[in-house]
Amino acid sequence: FIYLGIIFFAAFIIKQTSRKVKIPEVTGYVLIGVLLGVSLLRILGPQVLDQLSAVSTVALGIIAFIIGVELRLDVIRKLGRSILLIVLFECLTTFFLVYLVLLKVFPGNPYMALLLGSVASATAPAATVAVIKQYRAKGDLTFTIMAVVGIDDALALIIFVFASGIVKAGLTGGDARMILIIGKTVLSIGESIALGWAAAWVLRRLAGRLRETEAIQLMLAAAVMALLGISEVLGNSELLAVMAFGSILVNTAPTLAKRGSSVVDNFSPLFLAAFFLLGGAHLDVRVLSQVGVMGLVYFAARSSGKIGGASLGAILGRAPKKVRKFIGLTLLPQVGVALALALSINKEFTQPQYGAAGTEMAHYIINILLFTTIITEIVGPLLTKFALQRTGEAKTVEQ
């Protein structure tokens, strides 16, 4: 509780100063997290971060719900083709570009290049959502961003499952068994969507006639927490399950979804602030000496893939002009899903069956992701803010 008090007081300081220095709040949260975390002051050390991991999980659930309720079918039909092409091109372009560039520059690490390429395809929705909420942005670019970062993570998870299956087979000398990999991926996605649909159905039945805000708040909390827990037990994507829940709810019971969103808005600032501050606390700036040139090459290739791929998809999809011009700048943050995948790699490939090669590869991958996350979480929100202000969709004027 003392550490939580420190976290929220630090977030309060950032909240009061971010407008004066004209930076997004999320950037300030990450920076103060780096200061308090394992890199410098070590007030939030590894043991404390482990004990507070549930706070980040709840924050990711809130973020996924916020994204889900933005995925309205009427608006998707309006911009649907462009959104699909943006997601496909920015994910696949980033994956192939990172893989090919790393393979060219560092030819001795093909498996590392493959895994880094798959992780690079993910975009962190948390930072983008926080900036959008801070500046109360609305419009075609805002909706496109919300839809893209939501669907993007589902596709990134699919790419990662394929890549990790191939690498595991290569390290152990077995077959990739692509049919099994495809089957596992489809089953996991199907289970996540089914869980989201079931939760939305139950909430509609039980809460449809409720008038008290407190009652809806309790039901919504029960649904989100249950989805987070069940998804973790089944090994599925918590983000995808909660996002499906929010999306199904807003398209089948829009009034209930609107009331649910207003409830979430009341307490989401607490969890979002803690999430970014804790994310920053995990980042160790000393890893720069370990990752060196490879980290910088990864960052450059990923940024080029995200910006170039998203812009190309928007052009081919005939998206509105402001979307074509600015969408790529809003997709750089990677903390969240990408960091979770990096931790998963570190956990899986350090197991004995993958030998010293697997352990060494996992060590480099997590350090590269930690280092580049520092950059993307500082630069990314600033670019998102710039894009929203240039298009006139940011409603809050800084004093």
Side-chain angles (χ1 to χ4, degrees):
F1 288 113
I2 291 173
Y3 289 119
L4 285 173
I6 293 172
I7 288 171
F8 289 127
F9 183 73
F12 165 77
I13 297 298
I14 293 299
K15 181 79 173 177
Q16 298 303 307
T17 58
S18 60
R19 290 187 179 181
K20 294 181 180 179
V21 296
K22 296 185 178 181
I23 63 170
E25 292 169 7
V26 59
T27 302
Y29 294 147
V30 172
L31 290 175
I32 199 69
V34 174
L35 176 65
L36 297 175
V38 298
S39 293
L40 300 172
L41 298 181
R42 297 185 66 82
I43 295 174
L44 301 175
Q47 185 177 0
V48 176
L49 294 176
D50 287 341
Q51 293 173 341
L52 296 178
S53 61
V55 176
S56 296
T57 302
V58 174
L60 283 172
I62 292 172
I63 291 162
F65 180 78
I66 292 171
I67 294 172
V69 294
E70 290 293 330
L71 300 180
R72 303 194 312 273
L73 288 179
D74 57 333
V75 185
I76 289 177
R77 291 190 187 100
K78 176 184 174 183
L79 299 172
R81 184 169 178 266
S82 64
I83 289 172
L84 179 60
L85 289 175
I86 290 170
V87 171
L88 285 175
F89 275 91
E90 60 97 358
C91 269
L92 295 177
T93 301
T94 303
F95 167 61
F96 284 114
L97 188 60
V98 170
Y99 170 65
L100 293 174
V101 169
L102 289 179
L103 195 62
K104 180 69 174 179
V105 179
F106 307 101
N109 301 289
Y111 291 145
M112 188 186 303
L114 186 62
L115 285 175
L116 281 171
S118 67
V119 174
S121 63
T123 302
T128 306
V129 170
V131 174
I132 288 173
K133 287 180 67 63
Q134 177 183 351
Y135 295 102
R136 294 183 294 154
K138 287 186 178 181
D140 287 345
L141 177 62
T142 301
F143 174 78
T144 302
I145 294 169
M146 296 288 276
V148 167
V149 297
I151 302 170
D152 166 282
D153 285 332
L155 182 55
L157 288 171
I158 294 172
I159 295 173
F160 175 76
V161 171
F162 283 115
S164 62
I166 293 171
V167 173
K168 288 176 182 178
L171 290 175
T172 57
D175 295 325
R177 292 178 291 181
M178 194 60 65
I179 293 178
L180 292 179
I181 295 175
I182 293 173
K184 180 181 178 181
T185 303
V186 172
L187 179 63
S188 178
I189 294 172
E191 287 177 349
S192 296
I193 295 174
L195 282 173
W197 178 87
W201 184 85
V202 171
L203 188 65
R204 285 182 58 197
R205 291 288 182 179
L206 298 180
R209 297 183 180 180
L210 294 176
R211 294 293 178 265
E212 296 180 1
T213 300
E214 292 84 355
I216 294 177
Q217 184 174 6
L218 289 170
M219 287 299 303
L220 187 63
V224 172
M225 297 300 172
L227 286 172
L228 293 174
I230 295 172
S231 296
E232 185 169 338
V233 170
L234 295 178
N236 295 331
S237 169
E238 296 99 328
L239 278 174
L240 188 58
V242 179
M243 188 177 69
F245 164 66
S247 179
I248 293 168
L249 196 64
V250 77
N251 286 291
T252 58
T255 301
L256 181 58
K258 184 177 180 179
R259 294 177 67 190
S261 296
S262 65
V263 168
V264 169
D265 287 341
N266 289 331
F267 57 84
S268 63
L270 290 173
F271 287 97
L272 292 178
F275 174 79
F276 291 110
L277 203 148
L278 289 170
H282 277 93
L283 309 180
D284 191 343
V285 295
R286 294 168 296 183
V287 302
L288 176 59
S289 62
Q290 300 177 34
V291 299
V293 178
M294 183 177 286
L296 296 176
V297 170
Y298 166 85
F299 172 72
R302 181 181 181 273
S303 300
S304 300
K306 286 290 180 183
I307 296 174
S311 300
L312 179 59
I315 292 171
L316 295 177
R318 298 179 180 177
K321 183 179 179 180
K322 60 182 179 180
V323 175
R324 298 197 302 267
K325 187 174 181 180
F326 291 105
I327 184 63
L329 298 179
T330 67
L331 302 177
L332 294 188
Q334 68 178 17
V335 72
V337 175
L339 196 55
L341 293 179
L343 295 172
S344 176
I345 290 171
N346 189 60
K347 179 181 178 180
E348 290 184 13
F349 288 95
T350 53
Q351 295 177 9
Q353 63 264 37
Y354 302 114
T359 301
E360 183 181 10
M361 179 184 66
H363 173 74
Y364 273 100
I365 287 176
I366 194 168
N367 281 341
I368 289 170
L369 265 296
L370 287 171
F371 164 57
T372 54
T373 294
I374 297 174
I375 302 174
T376 63
E377 290 311 290
I378 295 172
V379 176
L382 291 172
L383 292 176
T384 301
K385 169 195 167 187
F386 170 77
L388 294 174
Q389 290 182 333
R390 285 296 300 271
T391 57
E393 295 189 9
K395 306 303 180 185
T396 301
V397 180
E398 293 179 322
Q399 303 296 326

